[in-house]
Each structure stands twice: as structure tokens, then as C-alpha cells.
Amino acid sequence: MLLMRALLVSTYDLGRQPFGLASPAAWLRDEGVDVRCADTAKERLADEAIEAADLVAFHLPMHTATRLAAPLIRKVRSLNPSARVCAYGLYAPLNADWLRSIGVDDVLGGEFEEELTAIAREMDAGAGPDKVRPAPLPRLQFLVPDRSGLLPLSRYATLQMADGSSRIAGHTEASRGCRHLCRHCPVVPVYNGQFRVVQADVVLADVAAQVDAGAQHITFGDPDFFNGPTHAMRIVEAFASAHPSVTYDVTIKVEHLLKHRNLLPRLRDTGCLFVTSAVESLDDRVLALLEKGHTRADFLEVVSLCRREGLALVPTFVAFHPWTTQAGYCDLLDTIDALGLVNHVPPIQLAIRLLVPAGSRMLEVEELRPFIGPFDGHTLAYPWVHADPQVDRLHADVTSTVGGRPMSDRRAVFDDISRLAHERAGLPAPQAHPNRLVRNAAPVPYLNEPWYCCAEPNPEQLRIV
């Protein structure tokens, strides 16, 4: 029994109740630690909570969360200088030197629960933060996440249905890491082609607890749900049997949707409403530079495949990068429109700009070097400037268009962006596709919080939908 108090902090987790707090909370409470959780995307981090803590740990699953954590880390150091401060999650090891410079004692990676618990034991034994953390990724026997002390699910993003109704949404993880090495992905520097499963009974128990707490839909937050398709299907089939009225969504690579196309009807029949897929670009040269593992033709095939199987496909894009051209951007928009995907794509996806964080494999790309500057400790990224100033201007104007209309109809925002882009490129305004009104009229279920991966906005853009 450890007689100590821990404060776990999440600064942003895509509008979801943070799994990254609930999971380590279970481990620490199992050791007898008094755990308090704070989600500063939804609530103020109270001074008294900081002052009472022996251990303060920040979950940093993404770039935006890391930037938002900086002033809070400094605040913890000011109010409670004797506390041991940890940072954990994907973006912690990527920014280890910077985190230590602002007062973090321990930096943990993607499989953090066991190490965080070990730190609590060290503290109880009087050990300081000098111990070098183990480098290899452990294989953990997970505990069921403990969500007590977190804000209710009703405070988080909800699923907006095609009929205008909404559903309370939960979130869990069936696996972490990824088998693939896409150059722009923040998972790669930490997991390096490895992935780890969360045991099926743990996942199902976590889902059951969230359903009991009111969840009517579950997002599986795995980087790629089909890294382990047998594991994934075992979970969703048990999920559907236990909770037949609860729906879910997953994220799956284009190449996995093609490779495991025989599984798509089973996803649909077990309650999957939509599949998010990081398409990133429709330019084969850019896809090769990113090492995405698919082509434009593959994407077009997946659109047809998902439509045929009755699964809504939600493609995400890195629309602006050093190889974007004004004509190429117009082609992206025209293709989205022609495929009937306007309502499938959150407008912010049309403004996403390539992020190059510390440790990114994008730094290997020779073609990037003429555009990129030195690492910026303020933005925690390598800034880049497009060779054509008009492309950067277009990005700024598209971002302004999206950000100024967060609640607008997707079709209306898309049309404004398309008119702007075609005018800037000197191309004729796009004509309405013959089937556009029919194919784009039906709304697609979506979570009312933007979805970001490895190309993220500034913190000021967090509420863009």
C-alpha cells in the first residue's frame, strides 16, 4: 500500500473522456495510491489539487496536448516544487529534452502504465528521479481502466446522427502502436513498427462500464484497428453480442481495407457506423514520399468498396505540404465532390498542414530540406515555408474560412473553399456533378469534435469543427 497522492492531467484528447488517465489511474489505485484526475480541456486545474500531489503526470498523446501542457507544467513547478513531475504518451519521448528543460523529471513513452506505477513505488521508497527508464516497449497485462473521478461522458463529444439526433459517445483502445512506418506519423518514432494489444477481456469490460455510464457509441482509438484483425474482430463480435444497440467507429488504413475486404461486412453487421482512414493525399508522388502504402487508385477502390458494403468512409487529409500546388488542391476538392464525399470530410481536413515534430521520419526526405527550417522550441516542430507564397496564402485563407464558420453546413463551407481555390488557381469554377445533390445530400454520422492525427492545428484552432 503506497501512501501517496497522484494527480493525472490531460490537456486535450480529441474531445474524448481520456483513456490515458483512466488506464494509469487503475494501475496506481491498485497499489493504494490516492489518484485525482483533471481534464483541463473541460475543467480548471485547481491550485489545491497541484499543491496536494506528490506525483503529477501529464498525458501527452499529441502535439496540441503537449503545447497546452507547457504552462501547466510550469505552474506545477511553481506551486509545488517538491512534486515529482512526469510526462507520458506518444509526444513525451519526442520532446524529452524540452520537457526536462521546463521541469519534467520522468519522460515515459507509449506503454506507460507499468513505468508510472514503478515511479510511485520508487517515490514511496525514497528514490529520486535519476533512474534511467527502460527503453524496450514492454508487453503489458492491462487492467480495466478506472474512470471514477473523470467527468461524465455527457460532457464530451457526442455522435451526431443522420436524423439530427445525438448519442453519448465513449472511447477505448484495443491496441497501441502500428506495424507500419508512414513517415509523417508520430506513432513511428515511439513504436518503430511494433504494436501492442490490449487484452480482449479488458477492452470489453471497459466498454461495458462506459455503456453502464450512458455510452451509446464507442470510438476505438487504435492507430489502425486492423493491425491485428483477428484480435479486432473477436472484440467487436463480442461487443455486438453484449451490446446490440450500441454502435462504434474505427480507424483503418487504406491498404488494410483492401487486404481485409472480406471483414467489412462483419464490421457493418456488428454496428460499425463509419471507418476513418488517413488518405492524406491523392497525389501518388506525395503518397510515396510519405510512405503511406497506398495509391490514388487504391483510395478510389476503397471508396467504392465501402459504399458497396454500406460502411461510411471518412477520409482524412494532409491538404497542405511542400508539394501542394494550387491546381493539385483543386483536384483534391473536385475528387472529393465527384465521389460524393463532401459530407464525409470535416472542413478542417481541407486546412490541415503537414506537421514535422521532433523525431519525425519526414526529416529523412531529401525533397523536404529546401523548405524546412531549424526546430522551433515554441511550436515544437520544424517550420516549413512553401516555395510558392500563393499556396501559403491559400492555406491561411482556407483556415480562416473554416475557423470563422465552426457550425456551418459542410456543403456550404466546402463550396466556399472550392470557389476560393479555383479562383486563386485561375481555373473555371467547378460545375455541379450530375449526381452531387443526391450523393451528397445524406448526412453522415460524425463526432462533433475535430479529428486530428499527425498534422495538427495550433492550439487556437482546437474548437474548429
Side-chain angles (χ1 to χ4, degrees), residues 64-107:
T64 298
T66 308
R67 291 186 61 188
L68 291 172
L72 297 178
I73 292 170
R74 294 187 178 100
K75 182 177 181 179
V76 168
R77 273 292 169 231
S78 173
L79 291 178
N80 189 351
S82 65
R84 186 146 165 189
V85 180
C86 301
Y88 63 95
L90 281 181
Y91 273 81
L94 297 184
N95 296 285
D97 291 343
W98 173 78
L99 288 166
R100 290 191 176 98
S101 77
I102 62 171
V104 171
D105 297 308
D106 300 278
V107 176

Side-chain angles (χ1 to χ4, degrees), residues 389-448:
Q390 295 304 315
V391 173
D392 281 342
R393 180 181 166 218
L394 177 62
H395 171 255
D397 290 342
V398 170
T399 301
S400 178
T401 298
V402 176
R405 301 166 61 185
M407 303 305 293
S408 294
D409 174 75
R410 288 182 175 183
R411 175 84 247 179
V413 177
F414 180 92
D415 284 345
D416 284 351
I417 292 171
S418 184
R419 281 192 291 269
L420 171 68
H422 284 78
E423 179 183 330
R424 294 285 178 82
L427 296 173
Q431 300 299 309
H433 294 282
N435 296 325
R436 189 185 80 178
L437 294 178
V438 174
R439 293 169 64 180
N440 284 330
V444 174
Y446 67 94
L447 292 161
N448 61 354

